Amino acid sequence: MTLRLTTAGESHGPALLAILSGLPAGLVLDRDAIDADLRRRQEGYGRSPRQQIEQDRVDVLAGLRHGRTLGTPLALMVENRDHRNWTWGMSPWPPEGEPEGKGTKTVSVPRPGHADLAGTLKFGLADTRDALERASARHTAVAVAAGSVCKALLHAISIEVEGNVVTEDLERRIDEAHAERDTVGGIVEVRARGVPPGLGSYATKQERLDARLAAALMGIQAVKGVEIGEGFALAEKRGSDAHDEIGEGLRRTSNRAGGIEAGVSNGEEVVVRAAMKPLPTLMRPLQTVDLDTGEPAEALVERSDVAAVEALAVVAEAAVAFELAHAAKEKFGGDSFGDFVAAWQAYLDRIPWRPTH
Ligand code: EPS
């Protein structure tokens, strides 16, 4: 059974949900480890006051008994504590009583860079809130919970995934942008150690590990660029400076390919980067058009982050963890956790390669 992740949830709705199916039975999960990743996602510099309202914790509604997976769909939930301020505005059913709280007024001034305009046109919506709520990066909370579960599966086969911010001087840039009521983006990097050669395949584009990682990272809100290994810089180099020569023990003397050749992991560290654009909710609003009047207007201003680059490092880590767990499950199979690990061990016994940590 292949690993699948489905999510649902609006930013200010009651909760965020994820169903992760295809996990083997018998994987031990640690609630504190999942909650620690949720906290890491919330902690970055430059976040909105929303992060003081939310104290993300995972609830498991299905697929787990006494801390062990059952081999059935794992249902995860992260509550939106802020929903209590939006019970009328984001009521799933027609609200009762007089409008109160947030989200009661229709939003008709789309923010350039957010989903507001495209979503409203595409789905025929009368209120851009109906688009922006799902497009919001709030959704990444539950994706991080799912990624944390995937990291537990990967840990069992000696794969460790870690995301970090690459952009230097981020705090200064955030302070300056904040003072000028502006926003900033940045670059993050995810490294995965212990990935054996042979995850993914060159056979079809759907199987290529690099294509899957690129799609996963590009699928995160506000990401506009992805590179694997030295990525764009390789285009400027000669072949003699671009490839990774093979040395003793089949180890490479460099890792410009970022651990992936021809869509297949090669046993080196997998290294991917994602570039995040500046967030589109500016306290000094950009020009737009009011969809109700057709007249020039200022875009929606509401509470938001100045930057979410540190959060992206954790979210990208989760996305990479899901893709690597997916590829590992594809390669090693196993209905039970023991079968999965035994297949990995048998593969390592066959090939002349060992994790280095
Ligand atoms: C977001 C806007 C802000 C962010 C949100 C993403 O939400 P709010 O308008 O409620 O302050 O805080 O991110 C989160 C809530 C989160 O937990 O990451 C957006 O428009 O994408």
Side-chain angles (χ1 to χ4, degrees), residues 11-94:
S11 178
H12 305 99
L16 306 164
L17 303 167
I19 294 186
L20 184 58
S21 54
L23 288 169
L27 171 67
V28 174
L29 297 184
D30 174 357
R31 184 178 193 173
D32 290 343
I34 302 173
D35 286 342
D37 279 336
L38 290 175
R39 241 186 338 273
R40 280 171 66 217
R41 194 198 70 92
Q42 289 198 272
E43 275 169 0
Y45 194 66
R47 301 303 307 278
S48 130
R50 172 81 184 270
Q51 297 311 319
Q52 277 126 49
I53 300 171
E54 304 299 341
Q55 287 155 29
D56 294 338
R57 279 174 62 80
V58 72
D59 280 315
V60 180
L61 305 181
L64 195 69
R65 180 160 184 254
H66 301 170
R68 284 176 188 271
T69 57
L70 296 172
T72 56
L74 183 73
L76 307 172
M77 182 177 90
V78 176
E79 188 197 344
N80 286 324
R81 288 168 62 107
D82 198 21
H83 179 67
R84 67 183 66 147
N85 301 312
W86 298 70
T87 47
W88 195 98
M90 287 302 293
S91 169
W93 296 105

Side-chain angles (χ1 to χ4, degrees), residues 3-355:
L3 208 59
R4 280 217 175 83
L5 178 62
T6 308
T7 68
E10 278 72 41
S11 178
H12 305 99
L16 306 164
L17 303 167
I19 294 186
L20 184 58
S21 54
L23 288 169
L27 171 67
V28 174
L29 297 184
D30 174 357
R31 184 178 193 173
D32 290 343
I34 302 173
D35 286 342
D37 279 336
L38 290 175
R39 241 186 338 273
R40 280 171 66 217
R41 194 198 70 92
Q42 289 198 272
E43 275 169 0
Y45 194 66
R47 301 303 307 278
S48 130
R50 172 81 184 270
Q51 297 311 319
Q52 277 126 49
I53 300 171
E54 304 299 341
Q55 287 155 29
D56 294 338
R57 279 174 62 80
V58 72
D59 280 315
V60 180
L61 305 181
L64 195 69
R65 180 160 184 254
H66 301 170
R68 284 176 188 271
T69 57
L70 296 172
T72 56
L74 183 73
L76 307 172
M77 182 177 90
V78 176
E79 188 197 344
N80 286 324
R81 288 168 62 107
D82 198 21
H83 179 67
R84 67 183 66 147
N85 301 312
W86 298 70
T87 47
W88 195 98
M90 287 302 293
S91 169
W93 296 105
E96 289 171 5
E98 289 303 305
E100 63 165 2
K102 296 187 171 182
T104 56
K105 292 200 183 82
T106 300
V107 180
S108 63
V109 281
R111 290 161 295 177
H114 214 295
D116 309 355
L117 179 59
T120 305
L121 297 176
K122 175 179 169 65
F123 292 101
L125 307 172
D127 183 352
T128 62
R129 181 154 303 285
D130 287 347
L132 68 90
E133 280 285 333
R134 174 62 182 163
S136 164
R138 171 68 189 151
H139 151 268
T140 57
V142 81
V144 164
S148 200
V149 172
C150 293
K151 285 199 296 179
L153 184 67
L154 293 171
H155 180 73
I157 56 169
S158 291
I159 300 175
E160 307 293 340
V161 188
E162 190 182 309
N164 282 296
V165 173
V166 170
T167 302
E168 292 174 358
D169 216 3
L170 187 62
E171 291 203 4
R172 184 188 55 79
R173 291 178 66 227
I174 291 172
D175 286 341
E176 281 174 9
H178 187 227
E180 290 163 32
R181 297 188 296 145
D182 215 325
T183 58
V184 287
I187 297 174
V188 303
E189 180 176 87
V190 183
R191 290 176 172 263
R193 286 177 297 137
V195 179
L199 297 195
S201 175
Y202 43 77
T204 62
K205 67 178 180 185
Q206 289 81 3
E207 292 167 273
R208 292 181 71 101
L209 188 60
D210 46 6
R212 290 152 66 165
L213 289 171
L217 292 174
M218 201 56 106
I220 300 170
Q221 286 84 347
V223 170
K224 292 299 261 184
V226 175
E227 65 178 3
I228 315 271
E230 291 192 8
F232 278 74
L234 288 176
E236 307 292 330
K237 291 188 167 185
R238 292 238 180 123
S240 51
D241 271 336
H243 299 292
D244 305 310
E245 290 185 299
I246 302 170
E248 211 180 311
L250 304 187
R251 294 281 163 190
R252 307 306 177 105
T253 48
S254 56
N255 185 22
R256 295 154 180 149
I260 302 176
E261 289 168 314
V264 188
S265 61
N266 64 9
E268 297 302 307
E269 202 172 33
V270 169
V271 185
V272 297
R273 288 184 171 204
M276 181 181 227
K277 68 183 179 182
L279 303 176
T281 312
L282 275 66
M283 296 305 129
R284 192 181 49 185
L286 298 173
Q287 276 301 301
T288 191
V289 168
D290 189 320
L291 299 177
D292 288 343
T293 63
E295 295 297 323
E298 289 189 338
L300 172 68
V301 179
E302 64 177 16
R303 177 191 67 189
S304 193
D305 310 301
V306 178
V309 186
E310 287 173 272
L312 175 64
V314 181
V315 175
E317 173 186 296
V320 168
F322 172 79
E323 291 304 329
L324 292 177
H326 183 192
K329 188 71 199 329
E330 226 167 48
K331 176 137 184 64
F332 303 121
D335 290 323
S336 86
F337 177 68
D339 292 349
F340 172 76
V341 176
W344 168 74
Q345 191 59 58
Y347 177 64
L348 286 201
D349 291 345
R350 175 169 76 70
I351 60 169
W353 180 93
R354 295 287 169 274

